[in-house]
Amino acid sequence: MEMFTLFLDTALATFTDVLPIAAVLLGFQIGVLRQRPRNLSRILVGLLYVLLGLTFFLVGLEKALFPVGKAMAQQLTNPEFIGVAADATVIEWTSFLWVFAFAWMIGFATTIAEPSLIAVALKAEEIAGGSLTAWGLRLAVALGVSVGVTIGAYRIVSGDSLGLYIMAGYAVVIVQTFFASKTIIPLAYDSGGVTTSTVTVPVLAALGLGLAVAVPGRSPLLDGFGLIAFASVFPIITVLGYDIVSTWFLRRKKLKSEITEEEVGQ
Amino acid sequence: MISALADFLRLLAGSMRDLLPIILTVAFFQIVVLQQPFPNLDEVLIGLVFVVVGLTLFIQGLEMGLFPLGNDMAEAFARKGSLLALLAFAFCLGFGTTVAEPALIAVSAEAAKIASEAGIIATSEEARASYANSLRIIVALSVGMALLVGVFRILKGWPIYYFIISGYLLVIAITPFAPAEIVGIAYDAGGVTTSTITVPLVTALGVGLAQTIRGRNPMTDGFGLIALASLTPMIFVMIFGILV
């Protein structure tokens, strides 16, 4: 019964979220374009699937993942678990190794399940014409989130400036942009924006807040934020990096085969 | 019918594979590290079934509904040939989808709390509500602007990295001047604006435009709208923080 109310509430919330989008789409469809889209009934069934799917997804997350994930983030940052006195004024960052391991694994895991990323990856695979697989892109992005969230968790522990880290990340992205293939750049930038939505944000927010409460001298209001920003910058770096490395290997292989061909020719 | 069922089962298997890392991570930490039993294991299992079914339906719906819709609208706008109508649509889509975004509402309420505790605004309910509301409108405006500029860029075929790199440089330049309390929120605001329904729609729109307009490449020109929509809120929120 409780599950049923939760389902209805979530369904209602999802439909309300969609209302502004639906209003914009309908308004322009009727007021400006003045034509019916092809396969209208199929599209409508598809949209119903999207809404129903999101509702099931959110209710399931609320039941299965979020309580456990949030409780876990709190327990792992608990002074008792870390093994220090609750009133300690300084805690070595090495006391937080399990937190970093958790940040790494949960960052990867939630990104692989992120529906927005699945959507962008499917579209990219569809138009890339075999040069890129959806799964490969998702792995590269998930690895980026792992790295980003782990560094972000370290930053909360060390108390360094958030701006400094993010700016350093941007500097790396800017340098990489000059070396990466033209076709991957827009997709890499986009993958930074899509990593952080339905699944990732609630768990990361809980982790950031838990850490900021646990580390002496950190304010949850000031230091609890920022993990999401890390999770948006680092995937760009890994996707661009993946492209640069694979292009380099491809070129080397090509160069090698040209050399052996010359030898054979002689 | 049988092939449709086979497709659905294949999607279902794919969703299970997508969720495996989460299940393994949570199980590992619960059992090995924290050494605790699962609370309400039956509820967790039912929840997982819901997540798998939901993800499968969502992906099915993407291919049937959201992708074709974005694509069709891109084609229809290109055929109509009215630049003004297309740009107006892009702006409204960005503004409309963001202003009601629940994640944004939560973040702006949080930001108002921080601002009042830091003494930037008064501690009264009204001051907080008006601060949170202005913040929401500003982020929504910035996403609208981002899509407008992004669509214009696709039409012109300008490289996206000009925009992103100048945006980053702007963020770097503004950060030292923004109040420390607002920086974290501004950086996170970029990530929360792009919801699960907006992303596929906007992506299909961009790629559809790039495919319809002659001389545009869907890979180099079609992507990039999401990136712009996650960048502009940071800049706008920090400027807001400086001005207030």
Side-chain angles (χ1 to χ4, degrees):
Chain A
M1 192 59 217
E2 181 208 351
M3 188 101 166
F4 185 69
T5 0
L6 179 66
F7 190 87
L8 277 188
D9 282 348
T10 315
L12 198 69
T14 312
F15 276 84
T16 337
D17 290 352
V18 176
L19 276 182
I21 312 180
V24 170
L25 292 178
L26 259 177
F28 276 86
Q29 198 70 254
I30 295 167
V32 181
L33 295 171
R34 296 201 186 101
Q35 54 174 305
R36 277 163 67 101
R38 280 166 294 167
N39 299 324
L40 184 62
S41 55
R42 194 179 148 83
I43 289 183
L44 289 179
V45 173
L47 293 181
L48 194 69
Y49 278 5
V50 166
L51 292 179
L52 208 62
L54 264 185
T55 306
F56 268 106
F57 191 70
L58 292 173
V59 171
L61 287 179
E62 201 55 59
K63 280 280 155 203
L65 176 69
F66 291 158
V68 189
K70 286 175 186 168
M72 222 166 246
Q74 273 163 15
Q75 282 166 355
L76 287 172
T77 50
N78 194 330
E80 208 172 298
F81 174 78
I82 297 168
V84 291
D87 55 353
T89 46
V90 182
I91 306 180
E92 282 296 308
W93 65 271
T94 45
S95 312
F96 292 95
L97 284 183
W98 276 125
V99 176
F100 298 142
F102 180 69
W104 179 280
M105 286 169 71
I106 205 75
F108 182 89
T110 50
T111 309
I112 288 294
E114 198 61 80
S116 315
L117 178 62
I118 297 178
V120 168
L122 284 176
K123 199 74 193 170
E125 182 178 76
E126 177 193 319
I127 62 171
S131 63
L132 181 145
T133 64
W135 191 237
L137 180 70
R138 285 168 61 197
L139 282 179
V141 172
L143 192 67
V145 175
S146 280
V147 176
V149 175
T150 311
I151 298 180
Y154 172 77
R155 181 204 71 89
I156 297 181
V157 172
S158 74
D160 297 333
S161 140
L162 168 68
L164 227 54
Y165 276 73
I166 299 294
M167 281 185 221
Y170 283 170
V172 175
V173 171
I174 292 175
V175 172
Q176 281 181 313
T177 301
F178 288 104
F179 296 100
S181 347
K182 294 270 173 294
T183 45
I184 200 80
I185 292 171
L187 185 62
Y189 289 163
D190 269 3
S191 43
V194 298
T195 48
T196 46
S197 69
T198 330
V199 198
T200 319
V201 171
V203 179
L204 288 192
L207 183 65
L209 284 177
L211 256 182
V213 170
V215 180
R218 303 287 167 276
S219 130
L221 290 179
L222 285 182
D223 300 296
F225 286 93
L227 275 186
I228 296 167
F230 276 91
S232 322
V233 178
F234 281 79
I236 309 182
I237 297 179
T238 47
V239 173
L240 289 176
Y242 170 75
D243 169 74
I244 294 171
V245 171
S246 63
T247 317
W248 186 75
F249 270 112
L250 221 65
R251 198 178 297 154
R252 221 173 70 147
K253 216 164 107 190
K254 220 164 141 192
L255 217 64
K256 258 193 188 154
S257 67
E258 273 168 17
I259 293 170
T260 42
E261 264 169 37
E262 265 173 38
E263 283 168 354
V264 169
Q266 283 168 351
Chain B
M1 190 60 216
I2 288 175
S3 80
L5 192 70
D7 278 347
F8 188 79
L9 284 179
R10 209 171 41 239
L11 277 178
L12 210 60
S15 302
M16 281 183 204
R17 183 197 57 187
D18 293 340
L19 287 169
L20 203 59
I22 293 195
I23 298 173
L24 290 180
T25 303
V26 169
F28 172 76
F29 274 89
Q30 194 75 2
I31 297 166
V32 179
V33 182
L34 296 168
Q35 295 175 348
Q36 281 166 353
F38 268 97
N40 326 321
L41 190 61
D42 49 338
E43 262 195 11
V44 170
L45 290 179
I46 296 174
L48 280 178
V49 173
F50 268 52
V51 172
V52 170
V53 170
L55 196 57
T56 309
L57 276 174
F58 176 79
I59 292 171
Q60 181 89 31
L62 275 184
E63 307 278 5
M64 281 173 66
L66 277 179
F67 280 164
L69 184 65
N71 207 21
D72 282 0
M73 291 199 83
E75 272 177 31
F77 273 111
R79 253 204 317 276
K80 190 161 174 70
S82 160
L83 178 65
L84 202 67
L86 176 58
L87 293 183
F89 173 68
F91 181 84
C92 291
L93 190 65
F95 185 87
T97 55
T98 311
V99 81
E101 172 69 36
L104 178 63
I105 295 174
V107 166
S108 17
E110 195 66 32
K113 212 166 94 191
I114 294 179
S116 72
E117 273 167 35
I120 296 175
I121 53 169
T123 45
S124 69
E125 264 320 296
E126 297 130 61
R128 280 191 194 182
S130 93
Y131 186 89
N133 267 333
S134 338
L135 196 62
R136 248 175 73 197
I137 303 285
I138 282 186
V139 172
L141 278 177
S142 72
V143 175
M145 284 304 292
L147 289 195
L148 190 153
V149 171
V151 162
F152 195 66
R153 172 199 83 85
I154 295 175
L155 302 182
K156 291 286 179 193
W158 292 330
I160 181 78
Y161 48 85
Y162 289 175
F163 293 86
I164 300 294
I165 292 181
S166 13
Y168 280 174
L169 293 176
L170 203 57
V171 170
I172 294 175
I174 301 178
T175 302
F177 299 100
E181 294 81 17
I182 203 99
V183 171
I185 297 165
Y187 283 5
D188 277 1
V192 299
T193 49
T194 41
S195 82
T196 312
I197 293 170
T198 323
V199 166
L201 194 63
V202 166
T203 305
L205 180 78
V207 170
L209 277 176
Q211 276 171 333
T212 324
I213 299 165
R214 202 174 313 163
R216 294 289 164 271
N217 175 326
M219 260 328 253
T220 48
D221 300 307
F223 289 100
L225 287 176
I226 305 289
L228 279 173
S230 356
L231 178 63
T232 48
M234 293 197 231
I235 299 170
F236 277 57
V237 170
M238 279 198 278
I239 294 179
F240 174 76
I242 294 173
L243 294 180
V244 172

